[in-house]
Amino acid sequence: MDTQPDIIYLDNAATTRPLPEAVEAMRLACEACYGNPSSLHRLGLEAERLVSAARRTVADALGCSPAEIIFTSGATESDNTAILSAGRRGGIVTSMAEHPAVLEPVRLLEAAGTPVTWLRPRADGNLDPDEIVGAVTNDTRLLALTAVNNETGAVTPLEILPKLKRAYPQLHIHLDGVQGFLKLPMRVDTLAADTIALSGHKVHAPKGIGVLYRRKSCHLKPLLIGGGQEGNLRSGTEAVPLIAALGAAVRTLLPAVDAHTAHVRTLAGRLRSGCERLGLPVHSPADASPYIVGIAAPGIPSEVMLHFLEERGIYLSSGSACHRGSLSDALMAQRLPRDRITSALRVSFAHSNTMDEVDRLLEALDAGLHRIRRRR
């Protein structure tokens, strides 16, 4: 179903609308390349060519070898594969503000007896680089962090990772790169990460496709065993249409990353200025990714404001789409007042959003503040 022209969609950290190029690539793969990529006949070879082309495209975007790209069902599977394998080897360092796809496998390992050091973000939402470095010891086997926080846009100080890798060669560094990929610089030669999880539907590809970057020298145990596809790390017939769509989305977006980020930065600046004018607190750090701006309307429950905005054709969220009404781990870890957590709103941009949409959001927020508070 096409998006209605009067809809303002500002929930892109939850999911993005697939690009026309991605939809067309998926259609062609379904209709013309429907063979199993493991089959040796012509239809199988055509499907394998599509998979290989997409693998090269994603590898080029990350600056790695195609052999280091593993296709999965999504970032949750990628996170789980890396963390549940590397995290069984010894101590883990992570933060309290991670995405559930990182938090939950770490909690599972902790419950089984693996020691975990939990880092707390500062009051501004950022992690302290000195605390990260200080938490890693000779006994640490896994450092698992989210490159860009999915609720506040806080950017992890990735510049410390090469130093940590040199000091602790045994350390496995895993990054959830979902909200950073094709938005901020993410090249494996500067990240020093052993594994990186990516999601297709956060970069205008369909849902159901993800990526696990796995450094060649890094050994992981698979979650799914069977036919040995994806380098024996992710068995199961490859989802060729979804993989082709992801390749098309990355190929389309990659040349314009810098221009898109500059445009979104102006949108985020306009939103922050407008929130200051309206007296709405912003809990995203000043240096956060511009694609995510976390705000609050204290005194008005998130769902009340969300429904008010939706009635006016404006769609955003109260935070991570994975919380489904529970309080945010990230915002609680930030020690925000409870009324700010329960009234939190997350505005998340795509390159296609406009300044007019930001202005209409601010007008609607202003109207909501007056009308809802008057009712209450």
Side-chain angles (χ1 to χ4, degrees), residues 244-264:
L246 173 59
V250 174
R251 196 160 44 248
T252 302
L253 292 174
L254 188 59
V257 167
D258 290 342
H260 289 166
T261 300
H263 168 64
V264 170

Side-chain angles (χ1 to χ4, degrees), residues 314-326:
I314 301 173
Y315 293 81
L316 42 113
S317 69
S318 59
S320 172
C322 302
H323 284 306
R324 305 286 298 199
S326 61

Side-chain angles (χ1 to χ4, degrees), residues 13-242:
T15 196
T16 56
R17 187 181 187 187
L19 289 169
E21 293 87 346
V23 174
E24 178 64 8
M26 183 165 60
R27 184 189 68 79
L28 289 174
C30 286
E31 294 179 357
C33 294
Y34 52 85
N36 187 319
S38 295
S39 297
L40 298 180
H41 50 64
R42 179 178 59 83
L43 289 176
L45 294 175
E46 288 175 353
E48 171 57 26
R49 277 195 288 270
L50 282 184
V51 172
S52 295
R55 201 184 307 277
R56 285 194 301 273
T57 297
V58 176
D60 288 345
L62 284 176
C64 67
S65 163
E68 296 175 308
I69 297 298
I70 308 297
F71 289 118
T72 67
S73 65
T76 293
E77 182 187 336
S78 300
D79 281 324
N80 275 254
T81 299
I83 292 169
L84 292 177
S85 179
R88 297 185 191 278
R89 301 168 189 166
I92 301 173
V93 173
T94 189
S95 93
M96 300 175 181
E98 300 304 309
H99 188 279
V102 174
L103 284 176
E104 294 308 318
V106 171
R107 286 171 175 159
L108 184 67
L109 291 169
E110 184 179 41
T114 301
V116 177
T117 299
W118 295 95
L119 302 171
R120 184 184 291 275
R122 298 183 307 215
D124 66 355
N126 281 321
L127 290 174
D128 187 324
D130 293 333
E131 287 189 10
I132 299 174
V133 172
V136 176
T137 70
N138 287 322
D139 295 323
T140 308
R141 291 296 179 269
L142 171 64
L143 173 64
L145 297 171
T146 301
V148 176
N149 185 275
N150 66 302
E151 293 185 62
T152 67
V155 180
T156 294
L158 302 177
E159 67 278 1
I160 67 173
L161 299 184
K163 174 185 174 183
L164 280 171
K165 194 67 176 176
R166 288 192 298 270
Y168 301 99
Q170 82 288 353
L171 180 66
H172 182 112
I173 298 176
H174 174 69
L175 290 177
D176 181 306
V178 168
Q179 300 295 349
F181 185 53
L182 299 182
K183 297 178 177 71
L184 301 176
M186 286 190 66
R187 305 276 295 182
V188 300
D189 54 352
T190 59
L191 288 175
D194 296 285
T195 49
I196 302 173
L198 304 175
S199 172
H201 75 102
K202 305 301 175 76
V203 291
H204 302 277
K207 301 170 186 65
I209 183 65
V211 169
L212 175 63
Y213 159 76
R214 186 269 316 261
R215 189 184 299 277
K216 258 183 213 174
S217 59
C218 169
H219 176 71
L220 294 177
K221 291 184 178 180
L223 285 183
L224 302 177
I225 57 175
Q229 291 90 342
E230 295 301 294
N232 287 311
L233 192 56
R234 204 280 178 178
S235 291
T237 302
E238 292 91 344
V240 179
L242 298 179

